[in-house]
Amino acid sequence: MIWDVDGTLAETERDGHRVAFNAAFAEHGLPWRWDSEHYGRLLAVAGGRERLLHDLAARPDAPACAAERERLARALHAAKNAAYERIVAAGGIGLRPGVRELMDECAVRGVPMAIATTTGQRNVAALLGRQLGGDWPQRFACVLGAEDAPRKKPDPQVYEMALARLGLPAHETMAIEDSPAGVAAACAAGVPVVVTRSAYFAAAEVTGARAVGPGLHTSQGWQPPLAPDGGAGRVGLDCLAGWLAAPAGRLGAPG
Ligand code: XBP
Ligand code: MG
């Protein structure tokens, strides 16, 4: 089971990374603030530093020189990550409903888990340490982030590395993702993927996912519809296995 982080394990973007970017701008005495809508548009660019550079390139009051923008983006990104760690360490962002239950089920049934994310290791550790406890790394066979896979999603690098570390062929794994870039990355590595829609990608077109739905906590609103699950009322390993047995499709509309 290969987990994406931002948007999938937790709704980290709007109330975490975005707020932290704004704190970094303020710390640097910059007047810029990203509102929720603007940040939603910027999420088309994967990677916080890359996102920042993309925004700076369009700002008339940002440094005109590309090397200077690079320097500024590095400093702001470091300040953003420090602010993000503070937000999640304070418990400001919980796991999405159903995530913990599926992780626990994986543990009970001996299904190895991996993390494959575009964000950095420290951000993952801050979130999961707070939400799962200090022994959280023991739950995962590998945790791969920006430092391990510098080519960001939709590049399949992080998924290819996860397969190598798990020592499994792609068809024996699956990914849980929330964004079109994440789905594209998993698909390009041959990893079957199920989408739990996050706030920012609630209506995004998703191509190649085995199933798309509102979250792991519910058996309602999934496309294709959930097979009877014995009354658990959530998405468990048996439901996921049923979807994986079906061919990939084009599941665009929100379920
Ligand atoms: C989502 C991203 C990340 C985060 C910010 O990653 O694109 O860039 O928005 O984190 P995923 P950084 O969905 O793959 O977990 O600033 O550390 O990049
Ligand atoms: Mg994501």
Side-chain angles (χ1 to χ4, degrees):
M1 178 73 63
I2 307 176
W3 294 91
D4 170 51
V5 173
D6 295 299
T8 299
L9 291 186
E11 282 285 4
T12 51
E13 296 290 7
R14 191 189 54 206
D15 303 325
H17 291 294
R18 183 187 70 86
V19 173
F21 272 116
N22 286 337
F25 297 148
E27 263 175 51
H28 279 71
L30 294 163
W32 311 326
R33 298 294 180 270
W34 287 346
D35 65 24
S36 186
E37 288 68 33
H38 184 62
Y39 192 66
R41 288 189 291 276
L42 289 177
L43 278 179
V45 182
R49 194 180 56 81
E50 292 84 348
R51 190 170 301 141
L52 192 50
L53 275 172
H54 175 84
D55 192 63
L56 294 187
R59 278 188 187 273
D61 54 345
C65 160
E68 244 180 85
R69 284 202 302 274
E70 268 288 346
R71 269 196 300 279
L72 181 59
R74 277 187 196 287
L76 286 170
H77 191 235
K80 184 281 283 184
N81 282 338
Y84 176 82
E85 275 188 53
R86 289 194 294 273
I87 293 169
V88 295
I93 299 179
L95 296 179
R96 289 185 60 182
V99 166
R100 191 184 304 266
E101 288 83 350
L102 185 59
M103 285 184 172
D104 289 347
E105 195 183 347
C106 286
V108 167
R109 293 176 65 169
V111 174
M113 295 197 293
I115 296 274
T117 175
T118 290
T119 200
Q121 290 280 354
R122 286 186 62 128
N123 291 342
V124 178
L127 178 71
L128 295 186
R130 180 64 169 81
Q131 296 300 324
L132 296 176
D135 61 350
W136 74 270
Q138 289 161 29
R139 288 178 172 246
F140 298 93
C142 61
V143 178
L144 300 169
E147 298 85 350
D148 312 285
R151 298 201 304 274
K152 311 249 155 115
K153 299 172 187 176
D155 191 289
Q157 186 180 35
V158 73
Y159 277 103
E160 286 165 352
M161 291 182 77
L163 293 175
R165 292 281 290 276
L166 288 167
L168 291 169
H171 70 269
E172 286 185 25
T173 69
M174 64 160 299
I176 305 189
E177 273 285 356
D178 71 305
S179 69
V183 173
C187 287
V191 174
V193 53
V194 165
V195 171
T196 52
R197 288 199 178 275
S198 58
Y200 275 121
F201 297 109
E205 183 172 310
V206 175
T207 305
R210 300 306 181 89
V212 180
L216 295 171
H217 61 294
T218 179
S219 54
Q220 304 296 307
W222 282 89
Q223 203 189 341
L226 209 63
D229 61 2
R234 65 175 182 86
V235 177
L237 283 174
D238 292 337
C239 312
L240 294 169
W243 279 324
L244 295 203
R250 189 182 175 86
L251 300 167

